[in-house]
């Protein structure tokens, strides 16, 4: 048999072997979170390459080598799931590098990080000044996690006392011109609803590349033909605009009328509408 | 436009707001949002009742504002 056939045969065999092994070890192996996954990743790759190209090597020796690096990490993972001590040794612990806005030089030295390197890692987190950081940990996988001081963190709804909004995830219900029934069901909609919405926007389902429905039941479409303008969902902004208009009208009526009783009635209702608008506008603006 | 027509226009808008809120309450699948829309729909309903009462009064006082 010519050598190139051997290479094809070994290549395909190891491709399947590595594929099965990665499936066995799971997503964790791909993310290479810990020391063990890092070395087993490198070693398995080298063994496979060595056996595929170096035809002098026995193929079974290669398979045994790869299997060792798959099976031992697999069992160590199971052990470390149950025991914190094993976990600390095998997966490693994070090292605190910045505390209270101050660099901990001893820990830096222990991890052999230079000032330039730690600054580089911080810049990767969009931090250019060390004193903006309250706390930073060098994780076991070598990435830096940064907690900014409260003053430097982005503003959230909670900071400015806005009412909390509990938004549910959007569902993708049309892909490549086909509706996805189980997604449609988990969005709490049915085919009739979808047909009605599509008719409203004047498109057929074959022309839709992607369609998503958000938690308030609004459908957003992306068509194959980008020249066609799809109207954005207008229901909510329109509702808010109508409320504003009505509120202004009621205030106008209150000013215009001569009857004291009617004036009070208009003013009270204008106030009610204003309150209702205040409650609703965070939801309607979104 | 006369005040009668203005009032009726405002009533129509209020009705459309009520309908809009009702359809939002049906279409959303977040429960607390559903409740919020429903509550606000009730508020709008009250405003609608007041406005309809007022329109009735105006129509009684001023014959020419009657009807649509």
């Amino acid at each position: 048999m010519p050598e190139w056939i051997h290479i094809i045969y070994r290549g395909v065999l190891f491709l399947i072997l590595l594929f099965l092994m990665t499936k066995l070890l799971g997503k964790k192996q791909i993310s290479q979170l810990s020391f063990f996954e890092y070395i087993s990743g490198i070693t398995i790759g080298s063994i496979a390459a060595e056996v595929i190209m170096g035809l002098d090597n026995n193929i079974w020796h290669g398979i045994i080598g790869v299997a060792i690096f798959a099976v031992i990490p697999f069992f160590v993972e199971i052990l470390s799931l149950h025991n914190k001590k094993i976990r600390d040794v095998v997966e490693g612990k994070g090292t605190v590098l910045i505390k209270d806005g101050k660099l901990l030089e001893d820990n830096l030295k222990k991890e052999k990080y230079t000032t330039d390197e730690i600054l580089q890692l911080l810049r990767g987190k969009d931090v250019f000044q060390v004193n903006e950081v309250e706390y930073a940990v060098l994780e076991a996988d070598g990435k830096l996690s940064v907690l900014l001081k409260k003053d430097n963190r982005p503003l959230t709804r909670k900071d400015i006392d806005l009412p909390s909004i509990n938004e549910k995830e959007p569902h993708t219900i049309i892909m490549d011109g086909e509706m996805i029934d189980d997604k449609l069901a988990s969005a709490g909609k049915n085919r009739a609803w979808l047909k009605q919405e599509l008719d409203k926007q004047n498109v057929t389902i074959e022309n839709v590349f992607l369609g998503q429905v958000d938690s308030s039941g609004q459908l957003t479409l992306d068509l194959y033909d980008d020249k066609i303008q799809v109207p954005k969902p207008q229901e909510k902004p329109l509702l808010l605009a109508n409320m504003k208009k009505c509120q202004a009208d009621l205030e106008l009526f209150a000013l215009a009328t001569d009857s004291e009783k009617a004036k009070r009635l208009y003013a009270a209702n204008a106030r009610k509408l204003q309150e209702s608008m205040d409650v609703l506008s965070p939801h309607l603006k979104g | 436009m006369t005040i009668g027509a203005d009032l009726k226009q405002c009533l129509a808008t209020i009705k459309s707001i009520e309908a809009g809120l009702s359809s939002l309450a049906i279409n959303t699948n977040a429960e607390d949002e559903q409740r919020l829309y429903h509550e606000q729909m009730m508020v709008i309903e009250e405003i609608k009742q007041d406005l309809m009462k007022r329109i009735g009064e105006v129509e009684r006082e001023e014959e020419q504002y009657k009807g649509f």
Side-chain angles (χ1 to χ4, degrees):
Chain A
M1 232 182 340
E3 286 191 343
W4 62 270
I5 290 186
H6 263 289
I7 292 182
I8 290 176
Y9 155 68
R10 287 182 177 209
V12 172
L13 183 73
F14 268 86
L15 203 61
I16 294 169
L17 185 69
L18 292 189
F19 176 79
L20 291 177
M21 227 175 55
T22 323
K23 283 272 171 199
L24 171 80
L25 291 174
K27 295 188 184 74
K28 230 180 135 203
Q29 172 64 39
I30 296 171
S31 73
Q32 298 202 340
L33 277 178
S34 72
F35 166 77
F36 237 109
E37 286 139 15
Y38 175 69
I39 32 174
S40 63
I42 296 174
T43 317
I44 289 169
S46 321
I47 294 175
E50 190 78 13
V51 179
I52 294 166
M53 297 311 291
L55 295 178
D56 303 336
N57 294 319
N58 186 324
I59 195 163
W60 284 106
H61 291 175
I63 290 176
I64 293 169
V66 169
I68 287 172
F69 275 86
V71 171
I72 293 181
F74 181 72
F75 284 109
V76 172
E77 293 284 303
I78 291 176
L79 272 180
S80 64
L81 262 184
H82 296 289
N83 192 320
K84 169 80 177 146
K85 281 211 181 83
I86 295 178
R87 190 154 66 220
D88 286 346
V89 174
V90 174
E91 316 231 318
K93 277 196 283 193
T95 314
V96 182
L97 291 188
I98 300 178
K99 203 174 180 187
D100 302 328
K102 291 190 194 77
L103 281 162
L104 303 180
E105 288 79 8
D106 292 342
N107 285 354
L108 267 178
K109 219 171 269 169
K110 211 170 82 191
E111 298 291 342
K112 295 179 193 63
Y113 266 74
T114 65
T115 331
D116 289 316
E117 283 160 344
I118 179 84
L119 283 177
Q120 184 187 342
L121 284 178
L122 282 172
R123 283 196 295 270
K125 292 272 174 188
D126 290 334
V127 178
F128 285 77
Q129 210 158 9
V130 178
N131 66 9
E132 286 176 12
V133 180
E134 172 68 31
Y135 190 75
V137 186
L138 188 66
E139 305 290 359
D141 64 346
K143 293 201 181 84
L144 190 72
S145 301
V146 172
L147 175 73
L148 292 175
K149 284 181 182 158
K150 188 84 185 158
D151 292 348
N152 294 311
R153 259 179 266 167
L155 197 63
T156 59
R157 298 183 64 84
K158 204 168 72 182
D159 289 330
I160 48 174
D161 289 329
L162 282 176
S164 67
I165 288 184
N166 189 2
E167 202 185 35
K168 296 275 189 298
E169 77 281 13
H171 294 274
T172 305
I173 54 172
I174 305 175
M175 264 185 204
D176 306 313
E178 276 168 39
M179 68 176 109
I180 301 165
D181 279 312
D182 53 336
K183 287 285 163 61
L184 202 58
S186 55
K189 309 287 179 205
N190 55 30
R191 284 178 172 221
W193 173 86
L194 182 60
K195 191 174 177 316
Q196 193 187 346
E197 286 294 308
L198 288 172
D199 284 348
K200 238 192 253 174
Q201 305 203 10
N202 227 351
V203 291
T204 53
I205 191 159
E206 292 79 33
N207 294 330
V208 181
F209 180 61
L210 193 78
Q212 289 183 306
V213 60
D214 68 8
S215 65
S216 60
Q218 291 188 114
L219 182 67
T220 357
L221 300 176
D222 186 276
L223 301 185
Y224 276 109
D225 190 347
D226 286 326
K227 286 195 193 79
I228 301 173
Q229 290 287 326
V230 202
K232 273 202 201 108
Q234 285 295 330
E235 206 177 326
K236 286 174 161 189
L238 193 68
L239 189 65
L240 191 63
N242 270 338
M243 289 181 91
K244 277 183 188 156
K245 179 180 173 294
C246 251
Q247 201 266 345
D249 276 351
L250 285 170
E251 277 180 347
L252 262 183
F253 296 154
L255 287 175
T257 183
D258 290 329
S259 150
E260 203 50 50
K261 195 180 137 230
K263 207 187 268 282
R264 268 201 306 278
L265 180 98
Y266 289 137
N269 279 323
R271 208 166 36 245
K272 247 195 239 172
L273 197 54
Q274 180 67 51
E275 277 163 17
S276 160
M277 230 158 66
D278 290 343
V279 181
L280 283 172
S281 64
H283 295 270
L284 296 181
K285 270 178 190 157
Chain B
M1 257 201 288
T2 60
I3 182 72
D6 280 344
L7 276 175
K8 276 166 192 165
Q9 200 186 27
C10 187
L11 178 69
T13 321
I14 285 280
K15 279 180 182 167
S16 104
I17 294 171
E18 195 189 353
L21 282 174
S22 154
S23 95
L24 275 179
I26 291 167
N27 278 326
T28 187
N29 44 17
E31 233 170 73
D32 42 349
E33 219 170 303
Q34 225 165 34
R35 195 169 44 241
L36 177 88
Y37 288 137
H38 198 75
E39 279 165 12
Q40 295 312 315
M41 200 183 83
M42 300 298 205
V43 175
I44 303 292
E45 165 88 34
E46 283 167 27
I47 298 174
K48 189 181 83 178
Q49 294 299 339
D50 276 357
L51 208 58
M52 274 160 86
K53 221 170 23 187
R54 179 64 194 156
I55 287 175
E57 280 168 23
V58 168
E59 279 180 343
R60 228 175 304 126
E61 284 164 19
E62 316 268 343
E63 252 333 284
Q64 69 271 30
Y65 291 159
K66 256 218 162 107
F68 276 95

